[in-house]
């Protein structure tokens, strides 16, 4: 039988049964396999992809919605990948147009690599910010943060959810409630019994990714990162909003090196609804 044209291949919803194929696609494009992250994105959000007639996936992406279930207030697009043999044939553009159409009037956000940014600009996404990826082994040094931190407990969950929605600008209950199972560490910062920040460290290949990182101020963010580092023997990786210059400088002084920059972009909204001054790093750039 003749091979169908790329334009005729249908776009479908992905499920956890596609986890290995998604990881294979990541590896095909030189990315880590990241099965743990793909599993999270496919259960907490929605995956879309195109099957390769020869097996595997031609293309895939993940969409994570925030806000009320029946009327999301914001959606993040991530993990937009096209198999190497199908690159530069309009597949990514077609998949993204499908997502934009499906989401209707729901505002979108994404973190774009330099390679992907021209496509998103062509589709109408606007630049709203930048994030710097850091990676390395954390080396303690300098004055110890004075902010108290501790492991989070089940009793902290409601306070974490309230703080997160206040800072993120939309309800992320379906994301945050998955953190205890997804992350190896979930820690809070508190003052006089009140939670003023929280963060998690989740496993990704040979690193622990720090995120989300929400904190009252830079000193609180520093205390949370230091507390995570003290309880892992893996290198840390995180993506920090470049406006947090003091935190970036502090992290680099303690062994985390700059790896790359991603551009934060939005569609259908001028600015993200978050309080950026207290939002230091996302859970993952793939989920906004």
């Amino acid at each position: 039988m003749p091979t169908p044209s790329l334009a005729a291949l249908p776009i479908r919803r992905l499920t956890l049964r596609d986890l290995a194929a998604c990881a294979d696609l990541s590896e095909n494009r030189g990315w880590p396999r990241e099965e743990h992250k793909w599993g999270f994105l496919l259960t907490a959000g929605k995956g879309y992809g195109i099957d390769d007639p020869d097996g595997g996936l031609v293309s895939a992406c993940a969409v994570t919605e925030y806000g009320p279930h029946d009327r999301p207030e914001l959606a993040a697009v991530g993990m937009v990948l096209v198999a190497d043999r199908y690159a530069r044939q309009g597949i990514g553009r077609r998949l993204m147009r499908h997502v934009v159409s499906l989401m209707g009037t729901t505002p979108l956000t994404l973190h774009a690599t330099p390679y992907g940014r021209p496509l998103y600009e062509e589709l109408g996404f606007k630049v709203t910010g930048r994030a710097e990826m850091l990676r390395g082994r954390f080396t303690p040094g300098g004055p110890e943060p004075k902010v108290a931190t501790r492991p989070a407990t089940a009793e902290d969950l409601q306070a974490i959810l309230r703080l997160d929605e206040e800072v993120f600008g939309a309800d992320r209950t379906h994301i945050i409630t998955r953190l205890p199972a997804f992350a190896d560490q979930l820690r809070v910062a508190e003052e006089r019994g009140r939670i003023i920040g929280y963060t998690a460290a989740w496993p990704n290949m040979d690193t622990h990714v720090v995120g989300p990182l929400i904190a009252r101020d830079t000193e609180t963010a520093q205390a949370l990162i230091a507390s995570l580092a003290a309880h892992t023997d893996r290198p840390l990786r995180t993506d920090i909003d470049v406006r947090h210059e003091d935190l970036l400088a502090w992290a680099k002084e303690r062994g985390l090196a700059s790896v790359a920059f991603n551009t934060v972009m939005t569609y259908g909204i001028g600015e993200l609804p978050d309080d950026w001054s207290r939002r230091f790093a996302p859970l993952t750039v793939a989920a906004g």
Side-chain angles (χ1 to χ4, degrees):
M1 294 183 63
T3 301
S5 70
L6 289 177
L9 295 174
I11 298 172
R12 67 170 177 89
R13 278 283 301 273
L14 302 176
T15 71
L16 279 177
R17 291 190 297 272
D18 299 297
L19 181 57
C22 290
D24 289 344
L25 184 59
S26 292
E27 195 170 52
N28 173 262
R29 293 317 304 259
W31 291 18
R33 290 185 60 83
E34 300 184 309
E35 288 100 333
H36 188 58
K37 182 168 76 173
W38 269 116
F40 183 86
L41 294 170
L42 291 173
T43 52
K46 300 173 181 177
Y48 297 95
I50 300 173
D51 289 311
D52 189 332
D54 296 328
L57 291 168
V58 169
S59 183
C61 73
V63 179
T64 310
E65 299 175 358
Y66 300 112
H69 177 70
D70 56 344
R71 46 184 178 85
E73 299 165 349
L74 181 69
V77 184
M79 307 301 283
V80 182
L81 288 164
V82 177
D84 186 61
R85 64 184 286 205
Y86 295 108
R88 300 187 180 279
Q89 297 182 52
I91 299 295
R93 181 180 296 102
R94 180 182 167 217
L95 185 60
M96 282 298 301
R97 282 179 173 160
H98 179 79
V99 168
V100 170
S101 176
L102 276 180
M103 296 311 301
T105 59
T106 301
L108 305 176
T109 184
L110 55 79
H111 282 65
T113 64
Y115 178 82
R117 178 174 166 177
L119 168 62
Y120 305 130
E121 289 180 326
E122 177 187 324
L123 295 172
F125 282 79
K126 306 297 183 184
V127 174
T128 59
R130 293 176 80 214
E132 184 174 3
M133 181 190 294
L134 303 181
R135 186 188 187 282
R137 291 196 175 276
F138 183 89
T139 303
E144 288 291 321
K146 299 177 182 178
V147 179
T149 65
R150 60 171 174 79
T153 67
E155 288 73 27
D156 296 320
L157 185 57
Q158 288 305 313
I160 290 172
L161 287 170
R162 286 193 297 270
L163 175 62
D164 186 82
E165 183 170 1
E166 179 183 325
V167 174
F168 187 79
D171 180 18
R172 293 201 292 180
T173 298
H174 65 303
I175 295 292
I176 306 307
T177 53
R178 285 179 164 88
L179 282 179
F182 178 67
D184 286 342
Q185 295 188 59
L186 180 60
R187 301 184 67 86
V188 297
E190 63 181 354
E191 181 181 73
R192 301 187 186 93
R194 182 173 66 92
I195 291 176
I196 58 173
Y198 84 95
T199 192
W202 51 272
N204 187 270
M205 310 308 288
D206 64 335
T207 69
H208 267 131
V209 178
V210 177
L213 177 55
I214 284 177
R216 179 183 62 185
D217 50 32
T218 299
E219 183 181 22
T220 305
Q222 291 172 350
L224 285 165
I225 292 175
S227 68
L228 292 177
H231 294 86
T232 179
D233 58 359
R234 297 188 183 194
L236 299 183
R237 202 186 90 196
T238 191
D239 296 86
I240 297 175
D241 187 316
V242 297
R243 290 171 290 188
H244 292 295
E245 297 176 356
D246 290 344
L247 184 64
L248 283 165
W250 174 86
K252 290 173 183 176
E253 289 171 357
R254 282 153 185 79
L256 275 65
S258 180
V259 175
F261 288 89
N262 285 324
T263 303
V264 182
M265 307 185 78
T266 59
Y267 179 94
I269 188 173
E271 296 288 340
L272 290 171
D274 63 346
D275 176 3
W276 75 265
S277 68
R278 290 186 289 167
R279 186 172 181 239
F280 289 82
L283 167 65
T284 164
V285 295

